[in-house]
Amino acid sequence: MAEELKVIVFSLAHEQYGVEVDKVRTIERMQPLTRVPKTPAFVKGVINLRGVVVPVIDLRGRFNLEEAEYTDNSRIIIVAVGEMEVGMIVDSANDVVDVNSDEIEQPPEIVGGIRAKYLRGLAKLGEGKILVLLNLEEVLNKSEIVQLEQFGE
């Protein structure tokens, strides 16, 4: 039997992406970031979120997409990966949709320039729309998570 997944839909470079609601802690407006030296370029810094230091990455940078100015629509989606929370900067957070697990297909090797290892699958939403579901464990791979966890200490 197919299960329903609740997915937060966000946009990045005119594409629609999704991440499971149960992995999302909060969605925040853009706020000042404290830069951290000696981190990969896509790690934009850290924020203090209600007393917790949260590392923030720019998903455009992570996926080697063209950087863009942050706007009033830009959001930081705070997700939980393992024991830690990480913020992901996206162009906008749009919606919550239900995705039937039967409608999720394996991603091709490269989708919009993003390597398949970062993707969990592609979901068809109707009206010809396709939602790219992220594999958060790969988007924040283990060695990078270890680096990021050191900020929080």
Side-chain angles (χ1 to χ4, degrees):
M1 169 140 171
E3 59 180 296
E4 287 277 305
L5 281 178
K6 282 218 176 300
V7 175
I8 300 239
V9 178
F10 62 89
S11 61
L12 202 61
H14 309 295
E15 296 290 334
Q16 300 291 305
Y17 294 87
V19 64
E20 293 98 339
V21 166
D22 63 2
K23 294 200 163 92
V24 174
R25 294 290 176 252
T26 68
I27 298 175
E28 304 288 331
R29 292 188 174 279
M30 284 303 296
Q31 48 193 283
L33 298 164
T34 303
R35 196 76 193 115
V36 178
K38 296 190 177 104
T39 56
F42 65 86
V43 177
K44 293 301 176 192
V46 294
I47 57 173
N48 181 340
L49 192 62
R50 295 177 271 290
V52 177
V53 175
V54 178
V56 176
I57 68 169
D58 190 321
L59 273 187
R60 280 176 171 263
R62 180 63 172 127
F63 295 155
N64 294 320
L65 299 171
E66 191 178 319
E67 290 215 4
E69 292 291 314
Y70 302 135
T71 68
D72 288 343
N73 292 328
S74 298
R75 294 289 181 267
I76 301 174
I77 299 178
I78 309 294
V79 295
V81 179
E83 296 296 302
M84 74 178 250
E85 293 185 354
V86 176
M88 304 185 306
I89 299 172
V90 301
D91 295 351
S92 63
N94 307 330
D95 209 354
V96 176
V97 297
D98 289 320
V99 175
N100 190 321
S101 60
D102 284 352
E103 295 168 358
I104 299 173
E105 295 181 7
Q106 288 303 310
E109 275 309 301
I110 291 194
V111 174
I114 299 170
R115 292 207 310 273
K117 75 173 191 169
Y118 296 139
L119 308 180
R120 176 168 166 206
L122 302 175
K124 294 185 183 124
L125 292 184
E127 296 169 30
K129 289 188 183 148
I130 291 184
L131 184 65
V132 180
L133 299 175
L134 295 186
N135 175 349
L136 290 179
E137 285 74 20
E138 280 300 331
V139 169
L140 304 161
N141 80 31
K142 294 285 184 269
S143 62
E144 288 155 350
I145 289 175
V146 169
Q147 279 184 337
L148 294 175
E149 279 177 333
Q150 291 164 352
F151 299 157
E153 292 170 4

